[in-house]
Amino acid sequence: MFFKRFLLGAAAAAPFALCPVQVLAQDEEDNAILTDVILVTADVADGAIDSSEPPHQIALPADSGAIAARMPGAAAIGNGALSGQLSYRGLFGERVLGRVNGQRFATGGPNAMDPPLHYAPSILVDRIEVARGVAPVSQGPSLAGAVNAELVEVPFASGSSPEVHGRIGAQYRSVDDSYAAGGALGLSTSNWRIGVIASREEGSDYEFDGGTVGSSSFERTNYGVHAGMKLGDGEIFAEYRRNETDPTGNPAFPMDIQYFNTDFLRGGYSGQLTEKIGLKLMVGHVSVRHLMDNYSLRDPDPAVISTRATFADADTTTAEGSLRFGSATRNVSVGGDVELVEKYVRITNPFNANFFVEAQPDLTSDRYGAFVQWRGGAGPAEFELGARIDRTEQAGGIPELGSAVPMGPVGLANAFAASARAANDTTFDAVLRLWLPGDEVTPRIMLARKTRVPSLLERFGWLPTSASFGLADGNIYVGNQALDPEVAWIAEAGFDVDAGPVSFRPTVFYRRVDDYIQGTPFDTTPGVINTPVEMVANMNGDATPLMFRNVDAELYGVDVDFTVEASENLLFEGSASFVRAKRRDIADNLYRVPPANARLAAIWQQDRWSLGAEVTAADDQDHVSLSNDETSSDGYLVVGLFGSLAVADGITLDAGVENLFDAYYQPHLSGVNRVGASDVPLGERLPGPGRGVWVRTRIAF
Ligand SMILES: [Cu+2]
């Protein structure tokens, strides 16, 4: 389709082929229906993958979630330069599954300072895959959507002689005086491959029309090694990768990142055992070590007694395997997966060794799952039908507290120690997709039941704190061991038009979430401090704490993306999204739901260069959550300019101007400022970046 022409024209046929070794042929063939793929630093699209390529149009944000947020139905939750979450059709947090190189893992920060895509620096991302609607059951549990970032890798050699491969990118962006550099380099033959990846990013506090946003700087290093060897009709692969995030601001949180030292290890096999039997195996381990505090990066310093440094660890061990019987488009897959998670959080005061609190004392969550998925056809219709079952067993340890901790928290810790500290759930998911492949129009429907087991924090957060996986609403939350899993009933319908110069893909959806987990007033007398939880919360600055409880919600909306090839040289491309999200049990809206928004780009292209402009617009958002004290926001319109030049074979130069008119705008999903020393007032929604220029080069060989 047209995207690919634009892509190839602009990139001048750079030779670095995609290497989808972890993707079986089936996934490629069905990809256009099941998955949206955004190429990020990839230069040549796989023929079978329907892909779009926004990064010619924007400065690569350090946060690759912000790239995924350009897809229809998606939006970016802003909690810091490296802490962005993907909102999909009105839901975010742990309701949207995030993976890197197909690997599931638990993030470390109790406030999601490291959401999954924290570990996918844009400069290292080959492509981002966003499941259209919901993910197939074969990808494991995920309530409301799934995103996977594939990092650059060295491919097998195309010929019989050894080859050196490299893909390197570098960018400068003026609005935060940031640079990013990184890539992959390695050696391969047609039978084996070995490569290293590395990246370094650094940026200062970003500017807007009105000054500088305090505590918004960032710093991150990644490096790793990967290897693969052909075995039969498949590949054995292994990878080690390390992420070192250095001091990075989180203006929407009470603390900033001091470090994330995170190791990723994975290995496995993917291939065909016989012509009709495919096998996928993967084992992995991820270990997160994290420190955050409320004084190193931000000013003014807190009082000595309220100075905090919090350590958080998360370890995840995964194993998954599946067999596929049949051909690429007519088959049955069966598989099983195990995900073992351990979490630990310890709050300290660096000025007082006797003040420490184990807010998450050795929490564990062990999940065992199995699925069956049938890919078939019935007359003119194609379908995918899958079901899965998961057993999750969660438990919490006994918190230790220092001698300087006041009686209030000590009492809550004792009460938690005396409680059950354990919960088990069995959940069932099912997904049916049906589509009628046509020459120009492909109608499609999807029906799903999806579940989400409460997080360890939602269940075992015994200490009232602001930790809430990044809600950043200023409320103090406490966990609830009686929570039930969320159950979403999902229906969507749409069609894909691919008619010569025009493509057009609208979808309408409805999502009914039973037992939706939401913070609700702790007791029936909110504001009257008559319980130990309210006393401790009040000491921490919130006299009206919320407790995670099961409520009921519904979401509906419509989104679309399109391209129009107006002439040989002129392309229009864009997307638009609308979602409405409400509680069903009371008259309130869901929290942090994007307003109606749209994006439209016009691109003029020649063989070796292209120039364009992009407009991003959002409506006011007045449907805000009273439960989360959310404020409404105004609409805005932001314009950017961009250009791309194929300098030589494999060398591309991109440049642009962001926010051309230096508009002051506050994206609704941006957090609220909590940093005193900032040109943004306390409590004000954080503005988007002001005017700036950026330049980027990519080299592939
Ligand atoms: Cu943190």
Side-chain angles (χ1 to χ4, degrees), residues 448-498:
R449 179 194 202 266
K450 288 279 195 173
T451 60
R452 182 179 75 91
V453 167
S455 71
L456 288 169
L457 174 75
E458 288 163 340
R459 258 190 181 138
F460 300 129
W462 64 269
L463 179 72
T465 71
S466 66
S468 55
F469 207 78
L471 295 180
D473 60 352
N475 283 300
I476 280 182
Y477 285 86
V478 66
N480 179 359
Q481 295 187 42
L483 285 175
D484 288 325
E486 295 181 337
V487 178
W489 298 91
I490 297 170
E492 71 171 54
F495 52 88
D496 293 359
V497 177
D498 189 356

Side-chain angles (χ1 to χ4, degrees), residues 175-201:
V175 75
D176 54 3
D177 193 23
S178 68
Y179 73 85
L185 190 66
L187 203 61
S188 60
T189 69
S190 55
N191 277 319
W192 56 264
R193 61 195 184 100
I194 182 161
V196 293
I197 65 164
S199 66
R200 171 74 188 163
E201 302 154 274

